[in-house]
Amino acid sequence: MTKPVLFVSGANGKLGRRVMNLLVERGYEGKIIAGTRNPEAISFPNIEVRKSDFDDPAELASALAGVDRLLIISTSSPRRAITQVGAVAAAKAAGVSHITYTSAPSPTVDSPIPFVADHRLTEEAIANSGVPHTILRNMWYTENLLDALPPALASGRWYSAAGNGRLAYVTREDAARAAVGALLEEPRENRTLTVTGPDLLTTSEIGAIASAVTGKPLEVVPVNDEQLAAGAIAAGVPRAVVDAMIVPIERNTREGRVDIVSDAVEQLWGVRPTGVRAFLEANRAALSA
């Protein structure tokens, strides 16, 4: 029986590269196509690389010729909603039989996070296309803690407006595993899965773990949204980033919108995902950088 032709968009990104490597490591015997705007920048063994730019619908349609299963890895483009909706239309026109999409957690209409609207619109386009699909709502990456924790550990204080809100960070490795599992599994009913790590934790609990792992004292200091914004701006973070990401994400957590833990990684890959403590222990040196 002929194996389905797989196409991975964004194959030159951090998540995309890991997805490609996992497909190779799993020994997938069917054809794999890596899609990227810069084909000269990547090379994978026994994998075809095709130029595919979501900003160029005609080029994308050509790149998707003969593809059975498509993984759309969400882009970081400011035109993300428009281009990804266009990619869904191109996939349908090309006869793609299944779409997997990496979305964001809880992309509701009333979300305080501006960029999740792009994910909601893409999800709606996929649902309306009639193409069988799997939506993977990836929780925030555990790797983000390697940006937040080192300066906090250095000062001994971590300012947070997340309150007692909890979330289950997922590693990029586990998100890649879930994506590969969704690509390889036999077709089934349309479904939406939130891809999380195993631990629902508050900021204070994460701070305590980081302190225990590094041996450094760390006090989590509760602040309100205005104080968080002022501190971030004083530290040199651009106002646009503060208003569109830092404050809304903290508020989103505080309001319980990401109080979700799932077994999606185990369902799709067969292993328990990596917890926060294990991740921080493995990256102890980076925490002290």
Side-chain angles (χ1 to χ4, degrees), residues 67-87:
V67 170
D68 297 305
R69 299 179 187 176
L70 166 65
L71 171 62
I72 298 179
I73 295 179
S74 181
T75 74
S76 57
S77 166
R79 301 178 64 249
R80 173 166 48 196
I82 295 172
T83 60
Q84 290 182 170
V85 168

Side-chain angles (χ1 to χ4, degrees), residues 133-238:
H133 58 269
T134 301
I135 305 297
L136 300 176
R137 292 176 173 172
N138 291 341
M139 189 56 71
W140 313 133
Y141 290 144
T142 321
E143 285 80 357
N144 294 343
L145 293 174
L146 298 182
D147 293 323
L149 283 171
L153 286 162
S155 69
R157 290 189 170 189
W158 189 8
Y159 297 93
S160 172
N164 292 320
R166 304 184 302 170
L167 60 87
Y169 282 103
V170 67
T171 65
R172 189 176 284 109
E173 176 73 9
D174 284 323
R177 289 171 172 175
V180 172
L183 273 175
L184 297 183
E185 71 178 359
E186 290 305 309
R188 58 169 69 193
E189 73 281 356
N190 296 336
R191 58 180 177 160
T192 298
L193 300 172
T194 300
V195 181
T196 78
D199 311 315
L200 265 177
L201 300 170
T202 64
T203 303
S204 293
E205 290 169 332
I206 294 170
I209 293 170
S211 179
V213 167
T214 61
K216 295 182 177 182
L218 180 59
E219 177 189 5
V220 175
V221 182
V223 295
N224 59 33
D225 291 347
E226 292 73 23
Q227 292 168 327
L228 181 67
I233 291 169
V237 181

Side-chain angles (χ1 to χ4, degrees), residues 13-173:
K14 291 179 180 178
L15 181 62
R17 280 183 173 273
R18 191 59 192 135
V19 166
M20 301 304 298
N21 287 330
L22 285 172
L23 285 168
V24 172
E25 290 169 19
R26 277 246 159 161
Y28 184 68
E29 296 177 353
K31 184 173 184 177
I32 304 170
I33 302 169
T36 176
R37 290 177 295 178
N38 302 299
E40 66 283 351
I42 61 173
S43 177
F44 299 98
N46 303 315
I47 290 177
E48 179 183 347
V49 179
R50 292 184 184 175
K51 190 173 189 301
S52 60
D53 188 340
F54 282 13
D55 286 313
D56 187 336
E59 178 184 85
L60 181 60
S62 176
L64 292 174
V67 170
D68 297 305
R69 299 179 187 176
L70 166 65
L71 171 62
I72 298 179
I73 295 179
S74 181
T75 74
S76 57
S77 166
R79 301 178 64 249
R80 173 166 48 196
I82 295 172
T83 60
Q84 290 182 170
V85 168
V88 173
K92 181 175 182 178
V96 170
S97 60
H98 190 277
I99 296 173
T100 298
Y101 172 61
T102 62
S103 188
S106 302
T108 57
V109 174
D110 62 344
S111 172
I113 305 175
F115 67 78
V116 303
D118 297 344
H119 294 287
R120 184 179 67 255
L121 292 170
T122 305
E123 287 190 18
E124 290 173 354
I126 292 171
N128 293 335
S129 73
V131 178
H133 58 269
T134 301
I135 305 297
L136 300 176
R137 292 176 173 172
N138 291 341
M139 189 56 71
W140 313 133
Y141 290 144
T142 321
E143 285 80 357
N144 294 343
L145 293 174
L146 298 182
D147 293 323
L149 283 171
L153 286 162
S155 69
R157 290 189 170 189
W158 189 8
Y159 297 93
S160 172
N164 292 320
R166 304 184 302 170
L167 60 87
Y169 282 103
V170 67
T171 65
R172 189 176 284 109
E173 176 73 9

